[in-house]
PDB file of all heavy atoms in Angstrom:
ATOM      1  N   PRO Y 104      -1.172 -75.690   9.078  1.00  0.00           N
ATOM      2  CA  PRO Y 104      -0.249 -76.655   9.730  1.00  0.00           C
ATOM      3  C   PRO Y 104      -0.791 -77.068  11.100  1.00  0.00           C
ATOM      4  O   PRO Y 104      -1.644 -76.374  11.639  1.00  0.00           O
ATOM      5  CB  PRO Y 104       1.084 -75.857   9.954  1.00  0.00           C
ATOM      6  CG  PRO Y 104       0.635 -74.424   9.998  1.00  0.00           C
ATOM      7  CD  PRO Y 104      -0.517 -74.342   9.068  1.00  0.00           C
ATOM      8  N   ASP Y 105      -0.334 -78.229  11.580  1.00  0.00           N
ATOM      9  CA  ASP Y 105      -0.891 -78.636  12.876  1.00  0.00           C
ATOM     10  C   ASP Y 105      -0.368 -77.777  14.001  1.00  0.00           C
ATOM     11  O   ASP Y 105      -1.094 -77.611  14.996  1.00  0.00           O
ATOM     12  CB  ASP Y 105      -0.462 -80.094  13.138  1.00  0.00           C
ATOM     13  CG  ASP Y 105      -1.069 -81.027  12.075  1.00  0.00           C
ATOM     14  OD1 ASP Y 105      -2.257 -80.812  11.740  1.00  0.00           O
ATOM     15  OD2 ASP Y 105      -0.433 -82.003  11.673  1.00  0.00           O
ATOM     16  N   GLN Y 106       0.823 -77.229  13.896  1.00  0.00           N
ATOM     17  CA  GLN Y 106       1.399 -76.390  14.972  1.00  0.00           C
ATOM     18  C   GLN Y 106       2.175 -75.290  14.276  1.00  0.00           C
ATOM     19  O   GLN Y 106       2.566 -75.413  13.115  1.00  0.00           O
ATOM     20  CB  GLN Y 106       2.375 -77.242  15.753  1.00  0.00           C
ATOM     21  CG  GLN Y 106       1.860 -78.403  16.488  1.00  0.00           C
ATOM     22  CD  GLN Y 106       2.939 -79.348  16.945  1.00  0.00           C
ATOM     23  OE1 GLN Y 106       3.464 -80.167  16.218  1.00  0.00           O
ATOM     24  NE2 GLN Y 106       3.381 -79.243  18.203  1.00  0.00           N
ATOM     25  N   ALA Y 107       2.410 -74.176  15.038  1.00  0.00           N
ATOM     26  CA  ALA Y 107       3.217 -73.088  14.481  1.00  0.00           C
ATOM     27  C   ALA Y 107       4.609 -73.593  14.146  1.00  0.00           C
ATOM     28  O   ALA Y 107       5.176 -73.264  13.170  1.00  0.00           O
ATOM     29  CB  ALA Y 107       3.259 -71.927  15.519  1.00  0.00           C
ATOM     30  N   PHE Y 108       5.156 -74.423  15.037  1.00  0.00           N
ATOM     31  CA  PHE Y 108       6.298 -75.162  14.806  1.00  0.00           C
ATOM     32  C   PHE Y 108       6.422 -76.355  15.776  1.00  0.00           C
ATOM     33  O   PHE Y 108       5.712 -76.278  16.773  1.00  0.00           O
ATOM     34  CB  PHE Y 108       7.629 -74.278  14.896  1.00  0.00           C
ATOM     35  CG  PHE Y 108       8.085 -73.881  16.251  1.00  0.00           C
ATOM     36  CD1 PHE Y 108       8.868 -74.713  17.031  1.00  0.00           C
ATOM     37  CD2 PHE Y 108       7.659 -72.645  16.794  1.00  0.00           C
ATOM     38  CE1 PHE Y 108       9.309 -74.331  18.331  1.00  0.00           C
ATOM     39  CE2 PHE Y 108       8.003 -72.293  18.091  1.00  0.00           C
ATOM     40  CZ  PHE Y 108       8.789 -73.168  18.864  1.00  0.00           C
ATOM     41  N   PRO Y 109       7.097 -77.420  15.457  1.00  0.00           N
ATOM     42  CA  PRO Y 109       7.858 -77.574  14.266  1.00  0.00           C
ATOM     43  C   PRO Y 109       7.066 -77.686  13.044  1.00  0.00           C
ATOM     44  O   PRO Y 109       5.856 -77.916  13.081  1.00  0.00           O
ATOM     45  CB  PRO Y 109       8.634 -78.876  14.515  1.00  0.00           C
ATOM     46  CG  PRO Y 109       7.701 -79.705  15.396  1.00  0.00           C
ATOM     47  CD  PRO Y 109       7.044 -78.703  16.293  1.00  0.00           C
ATOM     48  N   ALA Y 110       7.681 -77.479  11.900  1.00  0.00           N
ATOM     49  CA  ALA Y 110       6.991 -77.614  10.591  1.00  0.00           C
ATOM     50  C   ALA Y 110       6.332 -78.962  10.540  1.00  0.00           C
ATOM     51  O   ALA Y 110       6.884 -80.006  10.918  1.00  0.00           O
ATOM     52  CB  ALA Y 110       8.012 -77.422   9.456  1.00  0.00           C
ATOM     53  N   THR Y 111       5.130 -79.001   9.919  1.00  0.00           N
ATOM     54  CA  THR Y 111       4.495 -80.253   9.638  1.00  0.00           C
ATOM     55  C   THR Y 111       5.305 -81.193   8.852  1.00  0.00           C
ATOM     56  O   THR Y 111       5.298 -82.384   9.038  1.00  0.00           O
ATOM     57  CB  THR Y 111       3.113 -79.996   9.032  1.00  0.00           C
ATOM     58  OG1 THR Y 111       2.368 -79.071   9.846  1.00  0.00           O
ATOM     59  CG2 THR Y 111       2.280 -81.234   8.873  1.00  0.00           C
ATOM     60  N   ALA Y 112       6.194 -80.608   8.012  1.00  0.00           N
ATOM     61  CA  ALA Y 112       7.016 -81.392   7.124  1.00  0.00           C
ATOM     62  C   ALA Y 112       7.988 -82.285   7.922  1.00  0.00           C
ATOM     63  O   ALA Y 112       8.260 -83.451   7.440  1.00  0.00           O
ATOM     64  CB  ALA Y 112       7.825 -80.460   6.215  1.00  0.00           C
ATOM     65  N   VAL Y 113       8.424 -81.856   9.035  1.00  0.00           N
ATOM     66  CA  VAL Y 113       9.332 -82.707   9.869  1.00  0.00           C
ATOM     67  C   VAL Y 113       8.604 -83.883  10.515  1.00  0.00           C
ATOM     68  O   VAL Y 113       9.127 -84.974  10.698  1.00  0.00           O
ATOM     69  CB  VAL Y 113      10.230 -81.954  10.927  1.00  0.00           C
ATOM     70  CG1 VAL Y 113      11.030 -80.866  10.286  1.00  0.00           C
ATOM     71  CG2 VAL Y 113       9.314 -81.427  12.076  1.00  0.00           C
ATOM     72  N   ARG Y 114       7.305 -83.736  10.754  1.00  0.00           N
ATOM     73  CA  ARG Y 114       6.511 -84.867  11.246  1.00  0.00           C
ATOM     74  C   ARG Y 114       6.396 -85.899  10.136  1.00  0.00           C
ATOM     75  O   ARG Y 114       6.460 -87.121  10.394  1.00  0.00           O
ATOM     76  CB  ARG Y 114       5.058 -84.397  11.602  1.00  0.00           C
ATOM     77  CG  ARG Y 114       5.031 -83.298  12.617  1.00  0.00           C
ATOM     78  CD  ARG Y 114       5.426 -83.711  13.983  1.00  0.00           C
ATOM     79  NE  ARG Y 114       5.189 -82.693  14.996  1.00  0.00           N
ATOM     80  CZ  ARG Y 114       5.741 -82.755  16.262  1.00  0.00           C
ATOM     81  NH1 ARG Y 114       6.591 -83.717  16.588  1.00  0.00           N
ATOM     82  NH2 ARG Y 114       5.368 -81.822  17.073  1.00  0.00           N
ATOM     83  N   VAL Y 115       6.221 -85.436   8.921  1.00  0.00           N
ATOM     84  CA  VAL Y 115       6.162 -86.346   7.788  1.00  0.00           C
ATOM     85  C   VAL Y 115       7.542 -87.004   7.586  1.00  0.00           C
ATOM     86  O   VAL Y 115       7.628 -88.271   7.386  1.00  0.00           O
ATOM     87  CB  VAL Y 115       5.781 -85.627   6.453  1.00  0.00           C
ATOM     88  CG1 VAL Y 115       5.719 -86.585   5.228  1.00  0.00           C
ATOM     89  CG2 VAL Y 115       4.434 -84.905   6.668  1.00  0.00           C
ATOM     90  N   GLN Y 116       8.634 -86.259   7.695  1.00  0.00           N
ATOM     91  CA  GLN Y 116       9.936 -86.793   7.515  1.00  0.00           C
ATOM     92  C   GLN Y 116      10.167 -87.955   8.509  1.00  0.00           C
ATOM     93  O   GLN Y 116      10.663 -89.023   8.173  1.00  0.00           O
ATOM     94  CB  GLN Y 116      10.997 -85.623   7.846  1.00  0.00           C
ATOM     95  CG  GLN Y 116      12.427 -86.075   7.674  1.00  0.00           C
ATOM     96  CD  GLN Y 116      13.341 -85.028   8.179  1.00  0.00           C
ATOM     97  OE1 GLN Y 116      13.085 -84.372   9.167  1.00  0.00           O
ATOM     98  NE2 GLN Y 116      14.525 -84.894   7.611  1.00  0.00           N
ATOM     99  N   HIS Y 117       9.765 -87.717   9.766  1.00  0.00           N
ATOM    100  CA  HIS Y 117       9.946 -88.757  10.732  1.00  0.00           C
ATOM    101  C   HIS Y 117       9.131 -89.989  10.468  1.00  0.00           C
ATOM    102  O   HIS Y 117       9.583 -91.151  10.521  1.00  0.00           O
ATOM    103  CB  HIS Y 117       9.606 -88.164  12.144  1.00  0.00           C
ATOM    104  CG  HIS Y 117       9.737 -89.200  13.271  1.00  0.00           C
ATOM    105  ND1 HIS Y 117      10.963 -89.745  13.574  1.00  0.00           N
ATOM    106  CD2 HIS Y 117       8.757 -89.810  14.111  1.00  0.00           C
ATOM    107  CE1 HIS Y 117      10.789 -90.628  14.584  1.00  0.00           C
ATOM    108  NE2 HIS Y 117       9.458 -90.675  14.896  1.00  0.00           N
ATOM    109  N   ALA Y 118       7.856 -89.726  10.066  1.00  0.00           N
ATOM    110  CA  ALA Y 118       6.872 -90.828   9.846  1.00  0.00           C
ATOM    111  C   ALA Y 118       7.387 -91.695   8.650  1.00  0.00           C
ATOM    112  O   ALA Y 118       7.122 -92.932   8.698  1.00  0.00           O
ATOM    113  CB  ALA Y 118       5.529 -90.311   9.514  1.00  0.00           C
ATOM    114  N   ILE Y 119       8.004 -91.161   7.676  1.00  0.00           N
ATOM    115  CA  ILE Y 119       8.385 -91.973   6.460  1.00  0.00           C
ATOM    116  C   ILE Y 119       9.843 -92.409   6.565  1.00  0.00           C
ATOM    117  O   ILE Y 119      10.382 -93.114   5.676  1.00  0.00           O
ATOM    118  CB  ILE Y 119       8.089 -91.320   5.153  1.00  0.00           C
ATOM    119  CG1 ILE Y 119       8.923 -90.093   4.969  1.00  0.00           C
ATOM    120  CG2 ILE Y 119       6.608 -91.044   4.999  1.00  0.00           C
ATOM    121  CD1 ILE Y 119       8.950 -89.524   3.589  1.00  0.00           C
ATOM    122  N   GLY Y 120      10.565 -91.993   7.609  1.00  0.00           N
ATOM    123  CA  GLY Y 120      11.943 -92.338   7.776  1.00  0.00           C
ATOM    124  C   GLY Y 120      12.933 -91.745   6.758  1.00  0.00           C
ATOM    125  O   GLY Y 120      13.884 -92.330   6.280  1.00  0.00           O
ATOM    126  N   ALA Y 121      12.652 -90.450   6.401  1.00  0.00           N
ATOM    127  CA  ALA Y 121      13.461 -89.712   5.456  1.00  0.00           C
ATOM    128  C   ALA Y 121      14.569 -89.021   6.165  1.00  0.00           C
ATOM    129  O   ALA Y 121      14.568 -88.824   7.329  1.00  0.00           O
ATOM    130  CB  ALA Y 121      12.572 -88.685   4.731  1.00  0.00           C
ATOM    131  N   LYS Y 122      15.653 -88.667   5.401  1.00  0.00           N
ATOM    132  CA  LYS Y 122      16.802 -87.926   5.940  1.00  0.00           C
ATOM    133  C   LYS Y 122      16.756 -86.498   5.411  1.00  0.00           C
ATOM    134  O   LYS Y 122      15.763 -86.044   4.888  1.00  0.00           O
ATOM    135  CB  LYS Y 122      18.068 -88.659   5.573  1.00  0.00           C
ATOM    136  CG  LYS Y 122      18.083 -90.113   6.018  1.00  0.00           C
ATOM    137  CD  LYS Y 122      18.431 -90.225   7.484  1.00  0.00           C
ATOM    138  CE  LYS Y 122      18.470 -91.683   7.984  1.00  0.00           C
ATOM    139  NZ  LYS Y 122      17.145 -92.322   8.076  1.00  0.00           N
ATOM    140  N   GLY Y 123      17.888 -85.835   5.445  1.00  0.00           N
ATOM    141  CA  GLY Y 123      17.997 -84.505   4.843  1.00  0.00           C
ATOM    142  C   GLY Y 123      17.288 -83.405   5.606  1.00  0.00           C
ATOM    143  O   GLY Y 123      17.530 -83.324   6.842  1.00  0.00           O
ATOM    144  N   PHE Y 124      16.472 -82.732   4.929  1.00  0.00           N
ATOM    145  CA  PHE Y 124      15.800 -81.631   5.597  1.00  0.00           C
ATOM    146  C   PHE Y 124      14.343 -81.525   5.150  1.00  0.00           C
ATOM    147  O   PHE Y 124      13.958 -82.008   4.049  1.00  0.00           O
ATOM    148  CB  PHE Y 124      16.512 -80.275   5.268  1.00  0.00           C
ATOM    149  CG  PHE Y 124      16.591 -79.937   3.780  1.00  0.00           C
ATOM    150  CD1 PHE Y 124      15.666 -79.163   3.228  1.00  0.00           C
ATOM    151  CD2 PHE Y 124      17.693 -80.433   3.036  1.00  0.00           C
ATOM    152  CE1 PHE Y 124      15.796 -78.817   1.799  1.00  0.00           C
ATOM    153  CE2 PHE Y 124      17.769 -80.068   1.735  1.00  0.00           C
ATOM    154  CZ  PHE Y 124      16.848 -79.347   1.121  1.00  0.00           C
ATOM    155  N   ALA Y 125      13.512 -80.821   5.960  1.00  0.00           N
ATOM    156  CA  ALA Y 125      12.099 -80.731   5.690  1.00  0.00           C
ATOM    157  C   ALA Y 125      11.550 -79.359   6.258  1.00  0.00           C
ATOM    158  O   ALA Y 125      11.939 -78.974   7.307  1.00  0.00           O
ATOM    159  CB  ALA Y 125      11.337 -81.895   6.290  1.00  0.00           C
ATOM    160  N   PHE Y 126      10.722 -78.719   5.437  1.00  0.00           N
ATOM    161  CA  PHE Y 126      10.156 -77.454   5.981  1.00  0.00           C
ATOM    162  C   PHE Y 126       8.809 -77.227   5.324  1.00  0.00           C
ATOM    163  O   PHE Y 126       8.474 -77.787   4.209  1.00  0.00           O
ATOM    164  CB  PHE Y 126      11.097 -76.301   5.696  1.00  0.00           C
ATOM    165  CG  PHE Y 126      11.436 -76.020   4.243  1.00  0.00           C
ATOM    166  CD1 PHE Y 126      10.727 -75.003   3.551  1.00  0.00           C
ATOM    167  CD2 PHE Y 126      12.443 -76.685   3.575  1.00  0.00           C
ATOM    168  CE1 PHE Y 126      11.024 -74.692   2.269  1.00  0.00           C
ATOM    169  CE2 PHE Y 126      12.755 -76.390   2.275  1.00  0.00           C
ATOM    170  CZ  PHE Y 126      12.059 -75.417   1.584  1.00  0.00           C
ATOM    171  N   ASP Y 127       8.024 -76.309   5.960  1.00  0.00           N
ATOM    172  CA  ASP Y 127       6.750 -75.893   5.434  1.00  0.00           C
ATOM    173  C   ASP Y 127       6.901 -74.630   4.570  1.00  0.00           C
ATOM    174  O   ASP Y 127       7.843 -73.841   4.792  1.00  0.00           O
ATOM    175  CB  ASP Y 127       5.695 -75.622   6.518  1.00  0.00           C
ATOM    176  CG  ASP Y 127       5.278 -76.892   7.249  1.00  0.00           C
ATOM    177  OD1 ASP Y 127       5.752 -78.020   6.869  1.00  0.00           O
ATOM    178  OD2 ASP Y 127       4.523 -76.770   8.268  1.00  0.00           O
ATOM    179  N   LEU Y 128       5.933 -74.464   3.746  1.00  0.00           N
ATOM    180  CA  LEU Y 128       5.971 -73.187   2.862  1.00  0.00           C
ATOM    181  C   LEU Y 128       4.564 -72.714   2.823  1.00  0.00           C
ATOM    182  O   LEU Y 128       3.577 -73.453   2.610  1.00  0.00           O
ATOM    183  CB  LEU Y 128       6.448 -73.778   1.451  1.00  0.00           C
ATOM    184  CG  LEU Y 128       6.660 -72.798   0.366  1.00  0.00           C
ATOM    185  CD1 LEU Y 128       7.698 -73.439  -0.609  1.00  0.00           C
ATOM    186  CD2 LEU Y 128       5.446 -72.401  -0.358  1.00  0.00           C
ATOM    187  N   SER Y 129       4.468 -71.412   2.922  1.00  0.00           N
ATOM    188  CA  SER Y 129       3.135 -70.736   3.033  1.00  0.00           C
ATOM    189  C   SER Y 129       2.900 -69.819   1.847  1.00  0.00           C
ATOM    190  O   SER Y 129       3.574 -68.836   1.755  1.00  0.00           O
ATOM    191  CB  SER Y 129       3.049 -69.938   4.325  1.00  0.00           C
ATOM    192  OG  SER Y 129       1.917 -69.110   4.335  1.00  0.00           O
ATOM    193  N   ALA Y 130       2.066 -70.231   0.892  1.00  0.00           N
ATOM    194  CA  ALA Y 130       1.679 -69.374  -0.172  1.00  0.00           C
ATOM    195  C   ALA Y 130       0.202 -69.614  -0.523  1.00  0.00           C
ATOM    196  O   ALA Y 130      -0.197 -69.493  -1.688  1.00  0.00           O
ATOM    197  CB  ALA Y 130       2.566 -69.630  -1.408  1.00  0.00           C
ATOM    198  N   ALA Y 131      -0.616 -69.997   0.488  1.00  0.00           N
ATOM    199  CA  ALA Y 131      -2.050 -70.208   0.309  1.00  0.00           C
ATOM    200  C   ALA Y 131      -2.286 -71.177  -0.805  1.00  0.00           C
ATOM    201  O   ALA Y 131      -1.602 -72.196  -0.966  1.00  0.00           O
ATOM    202  CB  ALA Y 131      -2.779 -68.855   0.198  1.00  0.00           C
ATOM    203  N   CYS Y 132      -3.256 -70.841  -1.669  1.00  0.00           N
ATOM    204  CA  CYS Y 132      -3.695 -71.721  -2.698  1.00  0.00           C
ATOM    205  C   CYS Y 132      -2.629 -71.968  -3.737  1.00  0.00           C
ATOM    206  O   CYS Y 132      -2.658 -72.942  -4.580  1.00  0.00           O
ATOM    207  CB  CYS Y 132      -4.978 -71.307  -3.390  1.00  0.00           C
ATOM    208  SG  CYS Y 132      -6.322 -71.175  -2.251  1.00  0.00           S
TER     209      CYS Y 132
END
Side-chain angles (χ1 to χ4, degrees):
D105 295 324
Q106 297 165 280
F108 74 86
T111 303
V113 302
R114 304 291 190 194
V115 178
Q116 182 191 34
H117 179 63
I119 65 168
K122 301 285 180 287
F124 58 92
F126 63 96
D127 290 357
L128 187 154
S129 170
C132 298

